Amino acid sequence: LAIVYGEAGDAPWNDFWERSIPQMKYWDLTHYLNEGDYDAYKESPTTETVNLRMNVPYNMQLTPYLKVDAPAGLEIKILSDGTEPINTYYVTKEGVQEFEGYSWMTAQTLTYVIPAGVKVLDLQYRQSG
């Protein structure tokens, strides 16, 4: 149940001012600088676990994105190299699937740990700030 304690302009809030700086900003999905490093895994599934180290232009706040074709039940790890490392884990379902991390992390390099049997279709990131 909402309770109204006052209207716009009433004390203690007084006049409202439009915020000139957005609260949050999200860019479009962007390919990594070294996108070609996973081209070999687009043709067929990996035969062993691989670590794909993907680079962005500078240390930034971002969310990781992936699109894979995989069997169900495999864990993909996404590891950040930031000063406060935050890692993301994704468990696959059967078939083609997409995933974007729910919370941002700070990194200049992300490592995708791709288990055997996963075909990598796309890796990208979304800058936030």
Side-chain angles (χ1 to χ4, degrees):
L1 176 66
I3 299 172
V4 176
Y5 288 100
E7 300 295 326
D10 290 350
W13 304 282
N14 303 316
D15 290 332
F16 290 113
W17 299 92
E18 185 174 336
R19 183 180 172 89
S20 60
I21 302 169
Q23 190 74 12
M24 289 293 294
K25 180 175 180 180
Y26 294 98
W27 283 254
D28 292 333
L29 284 172
T30 305
H31 289 280
Y32 290 97
L33 295 175
N34 57 329
E35 176 184 1
D37 287 1
Y38 67 89
D39 283 346
Y41 306 104
K42 290 181 181 178
E43 301 301 321
S44 60
T46 62
T47 57
E48 58 187 37
T49 298
V50 294
N51 294 333
L52 300 176
R53 292 179 48 85
M54 307 308 294
N55 302 318
V56 298
Y58 54 89
N59 191 25
M60 68 173 67
Q61 294 177 359
L62 55 83
T63 56
Y65 164 86
L66 59 80
K67 182 176 182 180
V68 297
D69 188 357
L74 299 178
E75 182 180 73
I76 297 173
K77 299 175 188 172
I78 306 170
L79 314 173
S80 75
D81 70 342
T83 53
E84 297 290 329
I86 298 176
N87 303 324
T88 298
Y89 302 89
Y90 175 72
V91 178
T92 62
K93 59 183 181 181
E94 181 73 28
V96 175
Q97 57 218 273
E98 297 176 74
F99 170 75
E100 183 171 350
Y102 296 114
S103 61
W104 61 266
M105 52 181 65
T106 302
Q108 186 162 357
T109 300
L110 288 180
T111 301
Y112 289 77
V113 181
I114 308 293
V118 174
K119 182 178 177 181
V120 178
L121 303 174
D122 197 11
L123 300 177
Q124 296 186 53
Y125 67 94
R126 184 184 310 275
Q127 183 176 355
S128 65

